[in-house]
Amino acid sequence: MDTLFPLRFAKRLAGLVGCAALLVTVPCAQAAQPSAITVSGAASLTGAFTDIKTAFEKAHPTITVHTNFAASNPLLKQMEEGAPVDVFASADQETMDKAQAKKLIDPKTRANFAQNDLVMIVPADKPALTTPDALLAPHVKHIALGKPESVPAGRYTQEALTTAGLWDKLQAKYVFGASVRQALDYVNRGEVDAGFVYRTDALAAGKKVAITATIGGHKPVTYPIAIATTGSNAKDAALFTAFVLAPE
């Protein structure tokens, strides 16, 4: 009996130690907890960032990406009012400069990730207007563009037409959109004679519109991205921005 008790006790002790070890290792084996980030992107990024969201979520299945698209300035305004944004991508440097000055982004994470062209477009079933000067013709009644005070594409257009000496001469013909996509829609539906949008937007419209000119006379159209300070998930935001900047 004296030899059996220690043996039984040793077996029970070994079992308890095994259970304790199991309890210690189980948390380490648990899958990563699901999380989410909010990405605010310029309207012209809608197609690209929708594709990137799908690819990113496939690569990081525990992270959900919520996207929010609008003109760059309204997105900035949302952040100023406390919107919980984790990643901000604008269609111009000026808006990102404002976000940085207001400490709404982490400047160390700011990087340019894409560029675009400003183009003139017309409805595909209307006579082509091949130069901005052609917009002076009497039969051209309406020209679509984004609001320069809030839409980067509108600012680029204003700068280009000012450089060409046409901005003031065409004032009576402007139809302003709240975003570059709205300006595109006006041309898509044939409600205007011409419009100014980014090349990527015009290509996304397919055969409904025709690109008739690439417009110069403005600052380069470059897109910056940065981690926003109004969100709460900087870790996953860093993964998303790295994904955007990666070769893929």
Side-chain angles (χ1 to χ4, degrees):
M1 292 296 293
D2 291 340
T3 58
L4 290 176
F5 177 76
L7 181 59
R8 291 173 182 170
F9 180 77
K11 288 180 178 179
R12 289 183 61 193
L13 183 60
L16 290 171
V17 170
C19 290
L22 182 62
L23 290 173
V24 171
T25 57
V26 165
C28 298
Q30 288 180 345
Q33 294 299 307
S35 61
I37 57 172
T38 297
V39 177
S40 284
S44 54
L45 292 170
T46 302
F49 268 25
T50 298
D51 290 344
I52 290 174
K53 163 185 160 69
T54 300
F56 178 82
E57 289 179 337
K58 183 177 181 180
H60 302 274
T62 62
I63 305 173
T64 299
V65 178
H66 301 295
T67 50
N68 174 38
F69 300 110
S72 297
N73 271 33
L75 293 177
L76 175 64
K77 183 69 173 176
Q78 291 172 8
M79 293 166 62
E80 289 177 317
E81 295 174 351
V85 175
D86 299 293
V87 177
F88 178 46
S90 66
D92 67 336
Q93 300 298 328
E94 183 178 335
T95 304
M96 191 64 80
D97 288 343
K98 292 177 182 177
Q100 184 169 327
K102 295 175 184 292
K103 302 186 186 305
L104 297 172
I105 63 156
D106 179 353
K108 297 190 300 294
T109 66
R110 179 175 175 173
N112 294 335
F113 70 96
Q115 62 184 29
N116 218 331
D117 292 321
L118 182 70
V119 297
M120 188 169 76
I121 60 173
V122 299
D125 59 350
K126 289 193 175 184
L129 302 164
T130 57
T131 67
D133 287 334
L135 300 176
L136 293 168
H139 71 273
V140 177
K141 304 296 184 183
H142 301 107
I143 304 166
L145 65 151
K147 295 178 182 178
E149 62 269 22
S150 60
V151 182
R155 283 199 291 276
Y156 292 126
T157 302
Q158 182 179 19
E159 184 181 356
L161 293 179
T162 299
T163 300
L166 297 172
W167 178 253
D168 292 334
K169 296 177 182 178
L170 296 171
Q171 281 288 335
K173 301 184 179 186
Y174 297 143
V175 177
F176 294 108
S179 70
V180 67
R181 284 301 177 96
Q182 188 172 47
L184 175 67
D185 287 342
Y186 289 144
V187 183
N188 260 339
R189 296 193 295 263
E191 297 172 351
V192 298
D193 300 294
F196 292 91
V197 300
Y198 297 124
R199 183 180 299 278
T200 50
D201 295 306
L203 293 175
K207 297 180 179 179
K208 292 183 178 180
V209 305
I211 298 174
T212 59
T214 299
I215 307 302
H218 58 82
K219 296 176 182 176
V221 182
T222 54
Y223 291 66
I225 191 170
I227 296 176
T229 58
T230 61
S232 59
N233 194 351
K235 177 184 176 183
D236 291 341
L239 290 176
F240 184 85
T241 55
F243 192 83
V244 170
L245 294 166
E248 180 185 1

